[in-house]
């Protein structure tokens, strides 16, 4: 066999190994082990400090990773600020006056730029901070594959169309996640994120005043904090029993008609996902295991790798150089 033919076959084989197998990730768990051995501990210590100050911050950081990944992949596009000549995603319907945690990401990034400048991407910060937040609030850990790079672009229109609305019915929720390659079961497990964090009155008002599949006492108490024509920004916990603990109570609440969002209660409303909700309510160990796997899958949505994109110096803006 000629030398060049051997190499041609060798490279084709390597390409098949790399890209032919759908479960192969382009990310790797040891990505920073030589370039920035302190990366994971630096992120973790900043998350620990922010979440000890305010437990809700753990929820906010988890949500940032979701809103990043569902919009053209996990590329930190969600972090880019609007400028006079750049439109980012922060003013999109699901993000405006709602996403938070940007200042914590800035702190993490600036700490990382001190220990290993120009090495750790903002997209990887979001993936690790989401995991560390869940663990700090009582969830089970998972290993985060790394090596994402940061976008130089963002898409306001994709943010408006790809992030699911809480007004969706079960069919709509299933298709919003299916569009990103997720099964219905994975949609149910990722929704379990709402075991932590808060939502605004304006988001769930129509549910508490107009829907019938809601526990009466639960509805009444929500109306006190969320009047029919005022208090838009008043917050209520997504998990009414334990909103600062990452547990399976979210699912138990749904069984008791105590889902806060319309979309939450859709998962237990006499449809095809009722049995999965019951299963996670009854067995938090399977919830934790399935959640970690689904988070790794979410973190694998179209990452920029290799020489694509860049490592931003400041997560809020594209590098100027
Ligand atoms: C199933 C479809 C989903 C819908 C319709 C949805 C919608 C929402 C809405 C409307 C809020 C409240 C926003 C506000 O009031 O300002 C919220 C909060 C939250 N969402 Fe979701 N979400 C979904 C899935 C997810 C997923 C997959 C994750 C994470 C992997 C997630 C994590 C969170 C967290 C942690 C909060 C609380 C944030 C905080 O307190 O700052 N959500 N979601
Ligand atoms: C865009 O605006 C930023 C600040 O708002 C400025 O630093 C940058 O040079 C501008 N870029 C272009 C291409 O005009
Ligand atoms: C769900 O919502 C879609 C779009 O709003 C609507 O066409 C469909 O009929 C709804 N499905 C059910 C089962 O209510
Ligand atoms: C309840 O539904 C009616 C009819 O769709 C609507 O006009 C009203 O604004 C809704 N109430 C709230 C509080 O959303």
């Amino acid at each position: 066999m000629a030398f060049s033919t051997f190499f041609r076959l060798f490279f084709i084989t390597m390409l098949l190994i790399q890209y032919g197998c759908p479960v192969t990730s382009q990310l790797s768990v040891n990505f920073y082990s030589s370039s920035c051995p302190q990366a994971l501990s630096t992120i973790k210590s900043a998350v620990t400090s922010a979440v000890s100050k305010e437990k809700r911050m753990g929820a906010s950081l988890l949500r940032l990773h979701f809103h990043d990944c569902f919009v053209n992949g996990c590329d930190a596009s969600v972090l880019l600020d609007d400028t006079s000549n750049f439109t980012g995603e922060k003013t999109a319907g699901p993000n405006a006056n709602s996403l938070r945690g940007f200042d914590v990401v800035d702190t993490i990034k600036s700490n990382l730029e001190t220990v290993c400048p120009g090495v750790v991407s903002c997209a990887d910060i979001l993936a690790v901070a989401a995991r560390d937040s869940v663990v700090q609030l009582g969830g089970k850990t998972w290993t985060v594959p790394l090596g994402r790079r940061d976008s130089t672009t963002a898409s306001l229109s994709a943010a408006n169309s790809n992030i699911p609305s809480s007004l969706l019915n079960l069919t709509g929720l299933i298709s919003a996640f299916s569009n990103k390659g997720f099964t219905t079961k994975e949609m149910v497990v990722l929704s379990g994120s709402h075991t932590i964090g808060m939502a605004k009155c304006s988001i769930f008002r129509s549910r508490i005043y107009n829907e019938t599949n809601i526990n009466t006492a639960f509805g009444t108490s929500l109306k006190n904090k969320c009047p029919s024509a005022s208090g838009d920004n008043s917050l209520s916990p997504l998990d009414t029993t334990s909103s600062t603990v990452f547990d399976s109570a979210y699912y138990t609440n749904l069984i008791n008609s105590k889902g806060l969002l319309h979309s939450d209660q859709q998962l237990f409303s006499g449809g095809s996902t009722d049995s999965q909700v019951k299963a996670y309510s009854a067995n938090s160990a399977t919830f934790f295991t399935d959640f970690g796997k689904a988070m790794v899958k979410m973190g694998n949505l179209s990452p920029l790798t290799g020489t694509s994109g860049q490592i931003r110096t400041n997560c809020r803006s594209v590098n100027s150089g």
Side-chain angles (χ1 to χ4, degrees), residues 259-275:
L260 184 65
L261 307 183
H262 170 78
S263 50
D264 292 327
Q265 197 59 54
Q266 281 295 298
L267 304 185
F268 192 88
S269 57
S272 63
T273 51
D274 283 17
S275 57

Side-chain angles (χ1 to χ4, degrees), residues 45 50 65 70 76 103 118 169 176 183 194 209 240 268 273 277 313 317:
S45 75
H65 183 44
F70 263 54
D103 45 347
N169 60 26
T183 64
H194 291 178
Y209 287 96
T240 184
F268 192 88
T273 51
V277 168
T313 307
S317 59

